[in-house]
Amino acid sequence: MAHEEDDGPTDGGVTRRRPLREWHVEETVEAAVPVRTAYNQWTQFKTFPRFSAVVHDVEQIRPAVTAWSIGYGPLRHRFCVEIVEQDPDAYLAWRGLEQNPTHEGEVEFRSTGSGGTAITVRMLLRPHGAAQVLTRSPAVTGLAARLVRAELVHFQHFIEGLGQEGGAWRGTIRNGRVQHDTPEPPRSRVAQWPVG
């Protein structure tokens, strides 16, 4: 399935790119909270184990890199992801950082007419070896879609139960780099002399 490129809004002349042009999974839920609340809670990755059936731990490595431990029953998998694009209250895209990445994805937040938030997750699965054949199977992609849908519903119930976010990260990320609101002043090449 192909995703038409939508350049989206611009920020000071920088156009947000949509890295995911095709996907295997697309699921949407509507949460009865404002976009800012849903987005702010989503960016609190360390809280995912509180509502998720498969996420056991999330560790923040750097502002744009997190390590995830997921699994079901005795099966566990640990991997790192990089947030490649992030626009507050609108969009977040990530990619796996394994030597052979297994997935990439994006999540969009849109305001609904009722004042709630439509949260859409799209994922492109990139398994290797024998598993590559399985992702071509409608049964396997259907299973992945049901899992993503269930996790989204868990998030929906979690944020609606809280009624407000438990924190927020409001930064913007472009190409995996955090964008600062005010540019850092240029560093002088003149040696600094000791004072006093």
Side-chain angles (χ1 to χ4, degrees):
M1 186 181 310
H3 173 63
E4 291 180 23
E5 186 167 354
D6 174 9
D7 292 333
T10 60
D11 262 339
V14 177
T15 302
R16 180 176 78 212
R17 70 179 176 93
R18 303 291 180 134
L20 203 57
R21 296 171 196 260
E22 63 176 297
W23 57 84
H24 291 114
V25 174
E26 179 179 19
E27 293 295 328
T28 302
V29 296
E30 190 173 317
V33 296
V35 167
R36 185 177 181 99
T37 301
Y39 172 87
N40 284 348
Q41 187 60 52
W42 189 277
T43 63
Q44 300 305 293
F45 303 122
K46 289 184 177 187
T47 66
F48 273 57
R50 291 178 56 192
F51 64 83
S52 174
V54 296
V55 178
H56 297 283
D57 183 54
V58 181
E59 180 184 352
Q60 191 82 39
I61 306 296
R62 293 189 307 268
V65 177
T66 51
W68 295 69
S69 177
I70 65 169
Y72 190 77
L75 301 174
R76 294 279 193 275
H77 179 61
R78 185 170 168 84
F79 58 94
C80 289
V81 298
E82 175 186 33
I83 299 168
V84 291
E85 302 290 331
Q86 185 167 341
D87 287 307
D89 301 332
Y91 181 76
L92 187 143
W94 69 90
R95 66 183 177 99
L97 290 178
E98 300 107 328
Q99 186 174 1
N100 294 310
T102 57
H103 78 289
E104 60 184 285
E106 63 188 12
V107 58
E108 286 184 297
F109 301 84
R110 293 179 317 280
S111 183
T112 64
S114 63
T117 304
I119 305 165
T120 300
V121 171
R122 292 180 196 92
M123 290 180 65
L124 176 61
L125 308 173
R126 294 181 176 203
H128 298 276
Q132 193 171 21
V133 174
L134 293 176
T135 57
R136 295 185 189 126
S137 160
V140 172
T141 55
L143 177 63
R146 285 191 300 279
L147 178 62
V148 169
R149 173 100 184 141
E151 293 295 288
L152 268 175
V153 169
H154 292 166
F155 176 78
Q156 172 195 9
H157 293 161
F158 179 71
I159 189 59
E160 288 176 347
L162 289 176
Q164 63 185 20
E165 63 270 31
W169 191 81
R170 306 288 305 166
T172 299
I173 297 175
R174 296 279 183 266
N175 298 318
R177 296 179 189 260
V178 176
Q179 304 295 301
H180 299 286
D181 291 340
T182 55
E184 292 184 24
R187 295 182 184 217
S188 173
R189 292 190 176 138
V190 177
Q192 297 289 323
W193 296 98
V195 177

